[in-house]
Amino acid sequence: MVNVALYTGLRLGEICNLRCQDIENVQGVACFHIRPHQEDGWSPKSAAGTRLVPIHSQLIQSGIMSFLKPEQHFLFPDLPTSSEGVRGAAFGQAFSKLKTKLDLPAEITFHSFRHTVSTKLRNQNASFRELWIDRVLGHEASHRSQSTINYTSSIDVQNLKSVIEALEFLTFKLDIPER
């Protein structure tokens, strides 16, 4: 789940609520389809949150597709739903405990991955349109002209893939202390 956040910028709730049916091949590109699921009462944070996010090649190489099982509803089926109906609340708490064990500052949260992705994409030495980055992240376009509204609904998935593939991170092994 951390790798999904790091290579997509998805919100924790979006990751926790991914269904196997939300992985689609669009124009030859494997994508997460972030969208409302009325049957479970879940929807993205805003209208802009409904979107396609190409799956980074690093996630594919790491085996994310092996999580897909025909009989499985959720991509991450072992996540419990809290008494308030929130999938992933326990994961958020476990992440917070791990962060404390690793002596990370309190201001570091799971949402920090999203900020990191946004910052890296906006600082890339590439010619990405701001609209493409906003689309990947599910942000409302800051420029709201009629042409912007029309354009963002038809951004080619290959352009979104180029944005996602620009994300590069060093790999490392993390030894988690036993406490």
Side-chain angles (χ1 to χ4, degrees):
M1 289 178 51
V2 168
N3 284 338
V4 171
L6 199 57
Y7 284 103
T8 63
L10 293 179
R11 296 172 178 93
L12 179 59
E14 293 170 338
I15 297 168
C16 293
N17 285 286
L18 281 170
R19 285 119 175 102
C20 290
Q21 70 186 28
D22 293 333
I23 294 184
E24 298 178 8
N25 189 313
V26 179
Q27 299 174 8
V29 177
C31 296
F32 292 120
H33 189 174
I34 309 303
R35 58 185 163 183
H37 289 281
Q38 275 79 23
E39 72 277 10
D40 295 329
W42 184 86
S43 65
K45 185 177 173 184
S46 67
T50 298
R51 65 201 189 277
L52 291 172
V53 178
I55 301 173
H56 196 287
S57 59
Q58 190 65 32
L59 291 174
I60 293 172
Q61 289 172 10
S62 297
I64 190 75
M65 298 309 202
S66 69
F67 286 65
L68 295 173
K69 305 278 190 280
E71 70 285 351
Q72 189 171 288
H73 183 63
F74 289 103
L75 187 61
F76 300 103
D78 297 333
L79 294 174
T81 301
S82 72
S83 57
E84 293 82 30
V86 178
R87 273 188 58 79
F91 178 84
Q93 292 167 349
F95 179 83
S96 189
K97 286 179 185 174
L98 174 61
K99 172 190 79 156
T100 302
K101 280 183 182 179
L102 296 173
D103 293 323
L104 294 174
E107 57 271 7
I108 301 289
T109 65
F110 193 85
H111 202 73
S112 298
F113 293 114
R114 187 167 166 76
H115 292 286
T116 298
V117 167
S118 179
T119 300
K120 278 187 82 74
L121 290 176
R122 292 174 202 289
N123 286 312
Q124 286 291 326
N125 187 13
S127 59
F128 299 137
R129 294 191 170 123
E130 191 81 13
L131 289 172
W132 299 354
I133 296 170
D134 286 342
R135 186 69 178 161
V136 163
L137 295 173
H139 288 158
E140 295 288 339
S142 54
H143 178 65
R144 300 289 299 166
S145 70
Q146 190 61 41
S147 64
T148 297
I149 292 166
N150 292 337
Y151 176 71
T152 57
S153 65
S154 62
I155 298 172
D156 191 276
V157 75
Q158 292 295 335
N159 292 328
L160 300 178
K161 181 170 179 54
S162 69
V163 171
I164 285 294
E165 290 297 328
L167 292 168
E168 293 181 5
F169 299 96
L170 296 174
T171 57
F172 62 94
K173 185 176 185 295
L174 179 65
D175 291 321
I176 300 172
E178 298 286 332
R179 281 197 220 178

